[in-house]
């Protein structure tokens, strides 16, 4: 079963905006915190850039704070990453993910407690 399906990646000019979407299964969406990870070109690690807790609180990596916003639509079981003022260094692949709302998992920007990954969507920002 596919739990997370992403869309919205594209090529944009620096300073532009994109909205990534992640359609989730009900199992994935309810009761878990929702995250976005970033993988730079030619790198293997994925870094968390945004996390939305079940209480509505949000965490952001310093690199995206003030420019990216994570949102959710409960009626559609979908969450989003609104990306504004994009920079060339934002170029890479973005993955949505779901983490268990247990222990400290929804309070930290890392893969601990991770349940599901999306397939990834590419973002290219040109200068």
């Amino acid at each position: 079963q596919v739990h997370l399906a992403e869309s919205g990646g594209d090529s944009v000019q620096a300073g532009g905006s994109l909205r990534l979407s992640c359609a989730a299964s009900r199992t994935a969406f309810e009761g878990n915190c929702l995250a976005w990870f970033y993988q730079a070109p030619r790198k293997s690690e994925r870094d968390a850039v945004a996390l939305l807790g079940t209480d509505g609180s949000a965490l952001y990596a310093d690199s995206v704070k003030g420019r990216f916003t994570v949102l959710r639509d409960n009626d559609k079981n979908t969450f989003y990453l609104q990306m504004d003022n994009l920079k060339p260094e934002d170029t890479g692949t973005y993955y949505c993910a779901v983490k268990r709302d247990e222990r400290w998992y929804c309070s930290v920007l890392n893969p601990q407690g991770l349940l599901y990954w999306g397939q990834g969507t590419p973002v290219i920002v040109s200068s």
Side-chain angles (χ1 to χ4, degrees):
Q1 180 182 4
V2 176
H3 287 284
L4 300 174
E6 299 185 45
S7 60
D10 206 344
S11 297
V12 296
Q13 296 279 335
S17 297
L18 280 177
R19 175 173 285 203
L20 308 182
S21 298
C22 185
S25 68
R26 187 171 183 174
T27 300
F29 192 77
E30 293 184 347
N32 296 310
C33 50
L34 312 172
W36 289 92
F37 285 73
Y38 162 76
Q39 184 175 18
R42 299 173 295 280
K43 300 290 186 181
S44 59
E45 64 271 16
R46 300 176 186 179
D47 297 320
V49 293
L51 177 71
L52 184 62
T54 55
D55 61 356
S57 60
L59 293 174
Y60 297 97
D62 288 343
S63 59
V64 307
K65 201 171 293 183
R67 301 188 298 121
F68 291 10
T69 306
V70 58
L71 308 163
R72 67 187 294 161
D73 185 330
N74 293 332
D75 292 335
K76 296 181 180 179
N77 283 1
T78 300
F79 60 109
Y80 307 92
L81 185 66
Q82 177 66 39
M83 311 166 73
D84 298 318
N85 190 21
L86 283 159
K87 303 176 180 180
E89 51 265 41
D90 295 321
T91 293
T93 302
Y94 287 79
Y95 296 86
C96 62
V98 166
K99 298 177 62 173
R100 294 196 302 273
D101 189 10
E102 296 175 5
R103 301 186 184 185
W104 60 88
Y105 299 153
C106 290
S107 302
V108 291
L109 285 171
N110 64 32
Q112 287 180 314
L114 204 139
L115 284 171
Y116 308 112
W117 287 107
Q119 80 280 9
T121 187
V123 171
I124 300 172
V125 185
S126 57
S127 57

